[in-house]
Amino acid sequence: MACVAGVQLYLDLAEHIVRQATDWQTPAGMVGDPYNAPGVESVTATARYCAALGHLLAAGRCGDLRDSAVAAMDWCCGELARHIASGEQWPAAQFNVKDMMVLYGALAGSELELAPLARWAAQLTFDPGRLYYGERNFVFYSTAAETLRLRHRLTSAWEYVDALLDSQMAFWTPEGLYRDPNDPVTYDLTVRQSLAMTLHYGYAGRHTQWMREVLHRGALTTLQLISPCGVAPYGGRSNQFHMMEGMIAYFAEWQARQETDGDLAGALRGMALSCAEGVRRWVLQTTYCSLKHNMGEAEMFGQDGFGPGHNAHSGYGLLAANLFAGAYHVADESIRPTASSGGARLLHLGDAFHRVFATVGDVHIQIDTRGQAGHDATGLGRFHRRGVPIETALNMSLVREPGYHMPLPTAPRSVALGAGWPCADGWRYLSEADRESHDVTVTTCRAHGPLEFTVCYRFRDPEAWGVREVLEHYSLSARGLACRIEVPGVRRLRLQVPVIETDGEARSAVTVSDDGVEVRYRGHRYVVSVEATELAAQLRWRGRDYALRVEGLVADRFMEPWRAPNRNGVYRVAVFEVAGEALTYQASLV
C-alpha cells in the first residue's frame, strides 16, 4: 500500500466534492443532484453535505460556505420536525441525524450566533423510538447518532444505545467482520466505521470493551484483505463507490491511535492513506465520479438504486466526502505511516463472506468462492498490481442480470477468470456456480516466497454439473500469477479471460493469439498465456512398452461476440479451448 498521500488529501477530496454540491443547493437549503429532476433530493444527500461541510469548517476550510451549511441544516431540521409531527417515517432518519449532529458540533464551537443553535437543539431533542426504524446495519447509524446527541446533551441515557448493540451481537465473525444479509463488503465497512465514530465521540456504555476488541480484530483482518492499490474489496451490493475507501480510512486512522504496537499503528495509517490515494483519480477530476469508472452518471451506470429518479452521485459522493474529512479529524500525524511489507499473505474467509485474498508484495488477487447472483461470479474476480489501473486486468467479476443499474446489454453468463467444461447441454463455467451448488476447501501449499495454495470446488450434484470437482492450484509471486486448473474426467477444457474494452474514457488494444491474449491499456500491459497440459499415454507393441508424450496445444481460441459490462466499465471475454482435463495459465501486469 502506497503512503504517498498526506492527511491534507482527505480534505482535498472532501472539498472537491462539497464545492460541486454547493451548486446543487436550492434556496430552501436542500442539496439536489445534477442528474435528478429539479428539486429532487437523493435520500441523505443534504445531511451528508452537512457532515462533510461540518468537518471541513472544523478543519479551517470552506469558511465561505458557512451560510450554505446553515441553510442545509435548517432544511434538515425542518424535515425532521415535519416527520415527527406527522408520524411519517423519515427516510434514512438515523443516517441523517448522525450527519446533522456533526455539523451541529462544528458550529456549536464556532462564533455562530446562538439563535440557530437553540432552534436546532430544540428540533434535535426527540424520542428516538418515534423516529428511527430498520435493523441490522441501520442500528449502527443509530448508535453513532445517539452518541453525538448524548455528547451535546440532547438526550440523556446510554440504555437505548446499549439495547441496540445487544441486538447485534450474533452477526460478527471471529475475524471482527460484521455480517449484513448476504455478506456485502460495504455493510461490514460502514458498521465498523460507525463503531469507531461512536467511540470517538465518547460512547461510555457497557459495550465499550467489546467494541474496542472487535475493532482491533477487524483492523487486523482488513490489513490482510486490502489491495496494494488502496481500494476496498469487491463483493455484494453498494460496491465500487469511493465511500468504501472513506470508511476504511476513517476506522484505520482511528484504530491506529488505539494500538500500542508502533508497527501495527503505522501499517494502519499506511492503509488509510493508501485508500485516499487509491480514489483520487476519480474524485479529483473536474467533475468527480462517484464510482470507479468514467462511464458517466446520467444513466446511473453501475449504481444501486436510491429510489425512482434518485441518482447516487450526490448521496454517495457526499458520503465519501464526509468520511474522508472525518478521517482527517481522527488521524494522529505523529504516527509514521508505513507501507505493507513485501511478504506473502493469504486470507480465506470460509464460513462467512466466502472469499480468498492473496497478496505478495505489489501483486494481489481476490477469489469469490461462492458467487452471489446479481453481484459476483464464482472464481477469480480481481488481479491487481500496485501502480497499474485497477480495472486493467479485473477489479471485480462480471454477472448476468446484475442487481445494480446497467443501461447496456449485460453478459449472457457470469464471468470470472477461470474454467469451463463441456456438459450434456453445452458448456458449463465455474463462474456460474451459485452459493449452494458446491463445497470449498482451501489448502496452503507454500506460504513463503511464491505463495502457493489450492482451491477445490466439489459439486453437490455432479450429474447436474457434469463434473465432480474443479481444482485451481495458484502460485502468486512478485512477477505475477500462475494457475494450473484441473477438472478430472473431462476431455476438453476452456479458460475464459475477461479483458477491458473501455472504462468510458480510455480504450484498450487487445491482441488474441494462439497461446494467449495481450491487452494494452493506459500505458500498461496485461498478458495471459495459456498452455494445455502434456498428453501422456503408454503404448504396448510387439511385447514392448513405449511412452507417448504429446505437447499440449491450444485447440481453439475466440472472442465471445457479446460485451460484458460491470461497475468499472465494459469488458470482452477471450476464450481458449484445450484438449484434456488440465491447463495452466500465467498472467502478468506491467
Side-chain angles (χ1 to χ4, degrees):
M1 294 168 290
C3 294
V4 176
V7 293
Q8 290 300 317
L9 179 57
Y10 294 149
L11 299 180
D12 292 343
L13 296 169
E15 183 170 353
H16 191 71
I17 294 170
V18 162
R19 288 199 176 275
Q20 291 181 48
T22 301
D23 293 339
W24 315 329
Q25 190 171 35
T26 68
M30 185 270 285
V31 175
D33 189 295
Y35 304 106
N36 291 354
V40 175
E41 183 207 28
S42 290
V43 179
T44 72
T46 308
R48 286 169 173 171
Y49 178 79
C50 287
L53 196 42
H55 286 310
L56 287 164
L57 289 167
R61 296 231 190 160
C62 298
D64 58 311
L65 299 182
R66 186 182 296 262
D67 289 346
S68 176
V70 171
M73 188 68 162
D74 277 338
W75 187 85
C76 287
C77 283
E79 287 295 290
L80 167 65
R82 181 172 69 81
H83 282 85
I84 289 175
S86 68
E88 289 180 65
Q89 209 172 65
W90 189 22
Q94 52 269 71
F95 296 59
N96 293 330
V97 172
K98 172 184 74 72
D99 288 338
M100 292 159 64
M101 288 304 307
V102 170
L103 179 59
Y104 180 90
L107 294 181
S110 70
E111 302 83 18
L112 186 71
E113 61 274 17
L114 294 179
L117 289 171
R119 180 173 69 250
W120 297 337
Q123 292 167 316
L124 286 163
T125 303
F126 56 84
D127 175 4
R130 292 185 57 196
L131 183 69
Y132 299 154
Y133 67 95
E135 53 188 21
R136 302 300 287 271
N137 74 81
F138 276 52
V139 164
F140 296 91
Y141 288 89
S142 300
T143 64
E146 289 307 286
T147 297
L148 277 160
R149 290 207 308 137
L150 281 155
R151 180 184 180 89
H152 292 287
R153 298 176 182 169
L154 302 179
T155 188
S156 60
W158 289 113
E159 287 80 359
Y160 180 80
V161 177
D162 286 339
L164 290 174
L165 292 171
D166 286 340
S167 70
Q168 299 302 302
M169 293 298 175
F171 306 122
W172 293 86
T173 73
E175 297 85 5
L177 307 181
Y178 179 78
R179 301 194 67 184
D180 216 46
N182 294 313
D183 297 333
V185 173
T186 301
Y187 293 93
D188 158 60
L189 299 179
T190 192
V191 164
R192 290 193 283 135
Q193 184 272 325
S194 294
L195 279 186
M197 184 177 182
T198 298
L199 286 170
H200 176 70
Y201 283 112
Y203 170 78
R206 54 186 164 80
H207 292 297
T208 301
Q209 188 55 43
W210 168 81
M211 290 166 68
R212 290 186 179 278
E213 176 58 28
V214 80
L215 285 170
H216 169 75
R217 281 187 276 126
L220 293 176
T221 303
T222 308
L223 283 169
Q224 296 182 73
L225 56 79
I226 191 75
S227 166
C229 298
V231 296
Y234 74 86
R237 67 190 191 274
S238 302
N239 203 267
Q240 300 299 309
F241 292 93
H242 312 314
M243 62 187 181
M244 299 177 68
E245 288 74 25
M247 292 163 188
I248 295 175
Y250 189 107
F251 70 65
E253 288 282 14
W254 184 87
Q255 189 63 38
R257 300 174 64 168
Q258 318 309 312
E259 300 295 344
T260 56
D261 182 323
D263 290 340
L264 175 55
L268 289 168
R269 288 217 65 224
M271 175 171 66
L273 292 166
S274 77
C275 285
E277 191 67 39
V279 304
R280 70 184 298 166
R281 74 179 256 216
W282 295 284
V283 174
L284 294 184
Q285 295 183 131
T286 301
T287 299
Y288 78 85
C289 296
S290 60
L291 279 147
K292 294 172 178 62
H293 65 66
N294 286 284
M295 299 295 293
E297 304 285 350
E299 296 176 302
M300 300 187 182
F301 188 100
Q303 292 189 18
D304 302 79
F306 257 39
H310 289 197
N311 198 290
H313 183 71
S314 55
Y316 278 162
L318 285 163
L319 177 55
N322 93 49
L323 290 165
F324 279 117
Y328 170 87
H329 289 287
V330 299
D332 180 353
E333 290 192 85
S334 70
I335 301 171
R336 181 177 174 273
T338 56
S340 60
S341 69
R345 61 181 189 266
L346 175 69
L347 174 66
H348 175 212
L349 300 175
D351 296 328
F353 293 91
H354 312 295
R355 295 179 184 113
V356 175
F357 304 89
T359 308
V360 177
D362 291 344
V363 181
H364 174 82
I365 61 174
Q366 180 182 335
I367 303 163
D368 201 317
T369 59
R370 295 183 185 277
Q372 182 190 353
H375 290 285
D376 312 296
T378 297
L380 195 153
R382 170 171 286 185
F383 176 35
H384 284 174
R385 177 183 287 276
R386 189 196 335 248
V388 178
I390 59 173
E391 70 277 12
T392 303
L394 201 58
N395 182 55
M396 63 176 294
S397 54
L398 309 126
V399 292
R400 61 185 179 89
E401 300 178 2
Y404 45 84
H405 292 293
M406 185 48 65
L408 305 179
T410 58
R413 69 171 183 264
S414 294
V415 179
L417 177 54
W421 55 89
C423 201
D425 57 353
W427 283 82
R428 285 295 187 103
Y429 291 86
L430 177 64
S431 54
E432 296 190 286
D434 62 35
R435 288 198 163 183
E436 305 306 319
S437 66
H438 58 280
D439 298 308
V440 178
T441 57
V442 176
T443 306
T444 302
C445 306
R446 181 176 176 178
H448 302 287
L451 176 61
E452 297 177 356
F453 63 97
T454 295
V455 182
C456 177
Y457 303 85
R458 289 190 177 88
F459 289 100
R460 296 170 183 172
D461 186 353
E463 186 174 342
W465 281 88
V467 298
R468 190 168 299 277
E469 65 182 10
V470 176
L471 297 103
E472 297 176 327
H473 306 284
Y474 289 96
S475 178
L476 192 67
S477 71
R479 294 193 304 268
L481 170 66
C483 182
R484 174 182 164 85
I485 300 175
E486 299 175 25
V487 185
V490 302
R491 294 185 177 182
R492 289 183 294 159
L493 194 58
R494 283 181 177 176
L495 178 73
Q496 56 177 355
V497 183
V499 293
I500 185 75
E501 181 175 81
T502 182
D503 71 338
E505 180 181 74
R507 298 190 69 86
S508 67
V510 179
T511 303
V512 179
S513 62
D514 288 340
D515 59 356
V517 59
E518 178 186 76
V519 181
R520 292 184 176 272
Y521 176 76
R522 291 187 177 272
H524 297 272
R525 290 174 65 238
Y526 171 43
V527 178
V528 178
S529 58
V530 186
E531 300 174 4
T533 302
E534 283 188 331
L535 302 178
Q538 292 291 324
L539 177 65
R540 187 171 183 81
W541 186 63
R542 292 188 177 182
R544 298 184 64 179
D545 291 326
Y546 295 87
L548 179 67
R549 303 189 69 82
V550 180
E551 182 181 354
L553 299 173
V554 175
D556 191 18
R557 45 87 170 176
F558 59 90
M559 188 75 79
E560 293 284 13
W562 34 266
R563 288 172 168 78
N566 68 7
R567 296 185 197 255
N568 300 134
V570 180
Y571 287 75
R572 300 295 301 274
V573 180
V575 179
F576 300 87
E577 187 174 326
V578 304
E581 61 183 27
L583 62 80
T584 298
Y585 70 84
Q586 296 186 15
S588 63
L589 281 166
V590 292

